[in-house]
Amino acid sequence: KQEVTQIPAALSVPEGENLVLNCSFTDSAIYNLQWFRQDPGKGLTSLLLIQSSQREQTSGRLNASLDKSSGRSTLYIAASQPGDSATYLCAVSPLAILSGGGNKLTFGTGTQLKVEL
Amino acid sequence: EAQVTQNPRYLITVTGKKLTVTCSQNMNHEYMSWYRQDPGLGLRQIYYSMNVEVTDKGDVPEGYKVSRKEKRNFPLILESPSPNQTSLYFCASSSTNPGTEAFFGQGTRLTVV
């Protein structure tokens, strides 16, 4: 059974810092890994999707890497801003067709980020 | 605008009173699913649907029902809600191509007293 772990559970940093959020998963048989952002009272917003054949994806100040063989992904946020404060979730999509058709996501419990002025 | 819409956003109900949470998507996605989010447990899949009239259980289906009569709609039904179903619920949709990007609704916060 796939398990996804995110460390740390919470993180508080001053504005301007570069930071790294970690995600690990136990089963390397994945189609892809997605990073989401969750704001209070709002839904999940997809930030980056990395296919299993890719090593990294970039969007603006965000860079996500994937090391499938070791079961790890990192989300790098450059020059953090107060507006980055949110909970960040990673989720993996399984390779097995029988597991919800391949589109079922297994989520970590998230890292709650606070960027202070 | 591509979106997944859930209603209601907030709901307080009493034990045993049947309720339905609606979910609608405008992206013509075949795959839709429901998740619940609980502190310390993350999001867990309740039910999913591969297409119209095709539904199946996820990891935590007990106490829930779903239907998929139309491609765009995937309501979640709680026939007899109990306090342990107090949670934040999310509807999601995506293409059936494995591993494609998933789109989520804004969530429904349900409290059962």
Side-chain angles (χ1 to χ4, degrees), chain A residues 99-110:
Chain A
S99 302
N103 288 6
K104 172 189 172 183
L105 296 174
T106 300
F107 283 84
T109 52

Side-chain angles (χ1 to χ4, degrees), chain A residues 31-32 34 36 38 41-44 46 49 51 89 93 100-105 107 109, chain B residues 9 31 35 37 40 42-43 45 48 59 90 94-99 101-102 104-106:
Chain A
Y31 253 105
N32 64 29
Q34 276 187 256
F36 292 89
Q38 182 177 16
K42 296 185 180 180
L44 277 65
S46 180
L49 183 150
Q51 301 294 350
L89 299 165
S93 178
N103 288 6
K104 172 189 172 183
L105 296 174
F107 283 84
T109 52
Chain B
R9 296 285 311 281
Y31 188 92
Y35 293 83
Q37 185 180 33
L43 281 88
Q45 192 184 57
Y48 67 93
D59 294 326
F90 288 102
S94 66
S95 161
T96 46
N97 294 327
E101 183 178 1
F104 282 76
Q106 291 194 309

Side-chain angles (χ1 to χ4, degrees), chain A:
Chain A
K1 179 185 174 185
Q2 178 74 270
E3 293 183 3
V4 180
T5 303
Q6 291 186 248
I7 296 174
L11 183 62
S12 183
V13 300
E15 182 180 15
E17 271 206 10
N18 301 323
L19 57 98
V20 174
L21 307 182
N22 296 294
C23 172
S24 62
F25 47 95
T26 56
D27 186 349
S28 62
I30 63 170
Y31 253 105
N32 64 29
L33 182 145
Q34 276 187 256
W35 281 93
F36 292 89
R37 169 182 174 141
Q38 182 177 16
D39 295 281
K42 296 185 180 180
L44 277 65
T45 303
S46 180
L47 298 173
L48 290 164
L49 183 150
I50 312 177
Q51 301 294 350
S52 61
S53 58
Q54 297 175 319
R55 296 284 294 184
E56 66 179 270
Q57 281 282 355
T58 298
S59 176
R61 294 182 293 108
L62 305 179
N63 176 277
S65 67
L66 174 64
D67 184 344
K68 196 175 71 166
S69 61
S70 67
R72 294 178 186 173
S73 176
T74 61
L75 179 66
Y76 175 82
I77 303 177
S80 58
Q81 304 169 358
D84 294 330
S85 299
T87 297
Y88 291 81
L89 299 165
C90 72
V92 295
S93 178
L95 196 58
I97 297 298
L98 293 177
S99 302
N103 288 6
K104 172 189 172 183
L105 296 174
T106 300
F107 283 84
T109 52
T111 293
Q112 189 172 14
L113 172 65
K114 184 175 182 180
V115 181
E116 299 174 319
L117 291 169

Side-chain angles (χ1 to χ4, degrees), chain B residues 40-60:
Chain B
L41 297 176
L43 281 88
R44 295 174 292 169
Q45 192 184 57
I46 303 170
Y47 266 95
Y48 67 93
S49 170
M50 297 285 285
N51 213 325
V52 175
E53 303 293 359
V54 181
T55 64
D56 207 347
K57 298 176 181 179
D59 294 326
V60 287

Side-chain angles (χ1 to χ4, degrees), chain B residues 20-111:
Chain B
T20 299
V21 183
T22 64
C23 174
S24 180
Q25 51 93 5
N26 63 1
M27 295 165 279
N28 202 36
H29 284 159
E30 300 88 1
Y31 188 92
M32 297 185 74
S33 59
W34 279 99
Y35 293 83
R36 61 177 288 174
Q37 185 180 33
D38 301 289
L41 297 176
L43 281 88
R44 295 174 292 169
Q45 192 184 57
I46 303 170
Y47 266 95
Y48 67 93
S49 170
M50 297 285 285
N51 213 325
V52 175
E53 303 293 359
V54 181
T55 64
D56 207 347
K57 298 176 181 179
D59 294 326
V60 287
E62 294 77 20
Y64 304 95
K65 285 176 59 177
V66 293
S67 69
R68 188 89 182 274
K69 294 183 171 60
E70 303 166 286
K71 195 173 187 179
R72 63 183 291 123
N73 296 323
F74 190 45
L76 180 68
I77 303 156
L78 284 72
E79 294 271 2
S80 182
S82 62
N84 64 12
Q85 292 178 298
T86 293
S87 187
L88 180 58
Y89 291 86
F90 288 102
C91 179
S93 76
S94 66
S95 161
T96 46
N97 294 327
T100 53
E101 183 178 1
F103 294 82
F104 282 76
Q106 291 194 309
T108 295
R109 184 165 294 280
L110 172 66
T111 302

